Amino acid sequence: MLPFDSTVLHNSHNIVFGSGSNPESGSCLEDEIEFVHLMEDFGDFMKSPAPKVTGSLFAKRYCSLIAGAVHTYMHHQYGLDLSLPNVRVVVGEEGIHYRIVDSGEFQQLQQLQTREQRRELYFRHLFSDNVCRVFERTERYTGIQESNLWATLSYNLTYWKEEWIHQAQSLWLRERIEEDYRFMMEEANHLWFREKTVNPLIHSFRQVIVPCYNDRHILLREKCCLNYCLPGGDRYCYTCPLITDERRIEKYLAVHDIG
């Protein structure tokens, strides 16, 4: 029994728990052969024209799992176990979702008492045991540069941090989210990131104010996610760094049905 309502994880981050009706359902990220098949299945689902596009857009969606785990830790101080053998990725007719087989808390957290110790251990677990390994494989099998993937994750975490602060119903929760975010993005030890010598996360993004709506701003991505490469019409995101601010604002207003 989870000590929190998992509805947010399901609705906002496509995360479910348990093995499902079929214990083998979904791709196990630990298995390299299954990972290759996952890239192929996802590429087919997206109608991706090239492996690099597949890798970039897979990472863009995979960030939802990481953001869900960060949400759970920041809001409930509960560390989901995202060890690769415990995670399944399912590509279906409605898109992609993530299954955490064992919903129990990451075991090593139970050995630590202070908030600072638990926080450092859990964020290191997320990045070292999960993100680094998934991004390394994504780069290896699709050719997309790993720096693009870290830029995508950084953007995703920054976007959700702003959402969580806006939604927080108490000052102490807002302060805790800000503190944990700052620690994760700016004070992270490079040892969290396996063989890297620096923290690859980005914590500063350009913003564009929406005219006549000064309470609204658009957070720009550091690097393009390659969504524009998919077949169809204008596939550029309004957060894309490759388009003009004028076009960005037009797209934003159209998406949000403003004006």
Side-chain angles (χ1 to χ4, degrees):
M1 187 74 175
L2 290 167
F4 58 87
D5 183 0
S6 63
T7 303
V8 171
L9 295 184
H10 179 263
N11 293 342
S12 298
H13 302 287
N14 297 320
I15 298 173
V16 296
F17 294 92
S19 59
S21 57
N22 177 4
E24 302 300 321
S25 65
S27 300
C28 177
L29 295 172
E30 179 75 3
D31 188 295
E32 291 212 30
I33 294 177
E34 289 193 34
F35 189 87
V36 173
H37 290 324
L38 171 63
M39 292 297 99
E40 293 172 348
D41 291 343
F42 181 73
D44 290 342
F45 172 77
M46 296 297 296
K47 297 182 172 56
S48 172
K52 286 185 178 181
V53 178
T54 300
S56 179
L57 294 178
F58 170 75
K60 185 177 183 180
R61 284 154 181 78
Y62 190 76
C63 290
S64 188
L65 172 67
I66 306 305
V70 172
H71 174 279
T72 303
Y73 190 79
M74 287 183 174
H75 287 76
H76 307 289
Q77 301 296 282
Y78 188 87
L80 297 172
D81 183 353
L82 291 198
S83 303
L84 293 194
N86 198 42
V87 176
R88 302 288 184 273
V89 181
V90 182
V91 178
E93 294 181 358
E94 297 182 357
I96 188 168
H97 69 269
Y98 312 95
R99 186 180 299 280
I100 298 176
V101 179
D102 183 351
S103 62
E105 189 171 36
F106 180 53
Q107 188 172 11
Q108 294 184 36
L109 288 178
Q110 300 169 13
Q111 304 168 10
L112 301 171
Q113 299 300 319
T114 71
R115 166 170 154 72
E116 290 75 17
Q117 287 176 315
R118 285 173 55 84
R119 179 176 62 185
E120 178 160 5
L121 178 63
Y122 188 63
F123 287 155
R124 181 169 183 167
H125 162 64
L126 282 185
F127 295 116
S128 181
D129 297 341
N130 188 293
V131 178
C132 284
R133 298 182 65 191
V134 172
F135 282 3
E136 286 165 5
R137 287 185 177 177
T138 303
E139 179 184 47
R140 186 184 317 143
Y141 292 115
T142 70
I144 185 69
Q145 289 188 344
E146 199 175 329
S147 59
N148 287 60
L149 310 184
W150 286 105
T152 295
L153 176 61
S154 300
Y155 178 90
N156 187 279
L157 293 174
T158 302
Y159 167 84
W160 278 112
K161 183 265 294 186
E162 293 191 358
E163 289 292 304
W164 297 334
I165 288 176
H166 178 71
Q167 296 164 5
Q169 311 231 331
S170 64
L171 176 60
W172 68 265
L173 179 57
R174 287 194 291 273
E175 290 177 342
R176 187 167 74 186
I177 292 170
E178 285 278 20
E179 180 186 339
D180 287 350
Y181 172 84
R182 183 170 56 254
F183 176 77
M184 175 176 62
M185 304 293 281
E186 301 180 38
E187 301 176 27
N189 190 313
H190 71 88
L191 296 176
W192 294 6
F193 304 96
R194 289 162 67 89
E195 298 179 357
K196 293 179 174 51
T197 57
V198 296
N199 176 358
L201 293 168
I202 303 166
H203 58 80
S204 180
F205 295 86
R206 187 165 80 87
Q207 297 182 6
V208 173
I209 300 297
V210 179
C212 302
Y213 297 91
N214 291 333
D215 60 331
R216 294 174 181 250
H217 66 270
I218 304 172
L219 194 69
L220 272 63
R221 295 180 180 276
E222 178 72 15
K223 296 191 177 184
C224 175
C225 69
L226 305 184
N227 192 71
Y228 76 92
C229 296
L230 295 179
D234 182 356
R235 301 300 298 263
Y236 286 93
C237 310
Y238 62 72
T239 59
C240 183
L242 302 183
I243 64 174
T244 66
D245 287 347
E246 290 76 13
R247 181 61 182 140
R248 182 184 326 287
I249 292 169
E250 288 177 2
K251 292 174 74 67
Y252 177 90
L253 296 177
V255 167
H256 292 85
D257 195 23
I258 300 173

